[in-house]
């Protein structure tokens, strides 16, 4: 059984037998899997009238626990975007009534972002479907293989310098 990457690697092996293209296989598969997963997730969130980044912000606030509030800086630390981008995202979510923004009374230089009740209802509903979709997307692997994949990807991410916010 072969995938699209095998086909490309075979071409490289024919054209450049002097190069060990094995690393290309892993990186290309991660990239292709990422694109295919992104497409499925984008379609899933669109069905809920959301963009993926909107769900990410709402889910980050929901995971933070009651009162579902973080500073803009904490949201920024949990994302991979610039401060300007996070400000724009917060503005758009405020406009939709999914979050509120207020100056932190304890630190006037800090802004607090809070999940609204409609935002919480939405994220609580979408996360159930989201987890079901992800289980379906990983359905080609049995539970043991899914665990192995998660372990290997974690090691890869750590090796690439990934770490939890604040670590």
């Amino acid at each position: 059984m072969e995938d699209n990457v095998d086909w490309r690697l075979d071409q490289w092996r024919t054209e450049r037998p002097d190069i060990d293209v094995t690393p290309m296989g892993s990186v290309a598969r991660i990239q292709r899997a990422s694109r295919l997963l992104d497409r499925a997730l984008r379609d899933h969130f669109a069905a809920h009238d959301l963009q993926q980044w909107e769900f990410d912000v709402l889910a980050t606030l929901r995971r933070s626990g009651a009162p579902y509030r973080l500073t803009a800086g904490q949201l920024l630390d949990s994302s991979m975007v610039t401060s300007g981008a996070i400000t724009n995202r917060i503005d758009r979510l405020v406009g939709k009534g999914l979050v509120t923004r207020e100056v932190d009374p304890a630190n006037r230089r800090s802004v607090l972002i809070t999940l609204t009740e409609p935002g919480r209802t939405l994220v609580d509903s979408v996360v159930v479907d989201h987890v079901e979709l992800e289980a379906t997307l990983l359905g080609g692997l049995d539970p043991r293989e899914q665990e192995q994949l998660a372990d290997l990807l974690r090691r890869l991410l750590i090796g690439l310098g990934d770490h939890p916010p604040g670590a």
Side-chain angles (χ1 to χ4, degrees), residues 14-163:
T14 298
E15 293 301 314
R16 292 296 308 268
D18 57 311
I19 299 173
D20 177 10
V21 295
T22 304
M24 280 179 137
S26 295
V27 172
R29 285 186 177 92
I30 291 168
Q31 289 174 322
R32 283 186 64 79
S34 176
R35 283 193 295 273
L36 293 169
L37 292 168
D38 280 345
R39 183 181 315 145
L41 292 172
R42 185 177 51 249
D43 293 347
H44 166 73
F45 291 123
H48 292 280
D49 197 29
L50 284 172
Q51 293 185 36
Q52 187 166 350
W53 68 263
E54 292 174 308
F55 176 78
D56 289 344
V57 171
L58 298 175
T60 299
L61 289 166
R62 180 64 173 97
R63 286 191 321 264
S64 73
Y68 314 112
R69 177 180 297 139
L70 295 171
T71 66
Q74 288 169 315
L75 276 175
L76 180 62
D77 288 346
S78 71
S79 67
M80 291 177 45
V81 297
T82 65
S83 60
I86 201 71
T87 299
N88 184 324
R89 291 175 178 192
I90 292 166
D91 288 345
R92 291 173 65 184
L93 290 170
V94 167
K96 287 179 137 183
L98 301 174
V99 303
T100 61
R101 174 197 351 231
E102 61 188 314
V103 174
D104 184 348
N107 177 358
R108 308 257 335 137
R109 293 176 300 174
S110 186
V111 175
L112 296 173
I113 311 305
T114 305
L115 191 61
T116 63
E117 193 58 38
R120 182 176 169 200
T121 300
L122 177 62
V123 74
D124 281 350
S125 170
V126 173
V127 74
V128 172
D129 293 341
H130 177 65
V131 171
E132 289 174 5
L133 172 64
E134 288 185 339
T136 299
L137 293 171
L138 293 173
L141 303 174
D142 66 40
R144 182 184 57 77
E145 291 169 326
Q146 290 179 33
E147 189 174 319
Q148 288 174 325
L149 177 62
D151 289 341
L152 290 170
L153 290 171
R154 182 181 304 105
R155 288 175 46 196
L156 175 63
L157 288 170
I158 291 168
L160 292 171
D162 194 40
H163 54 81

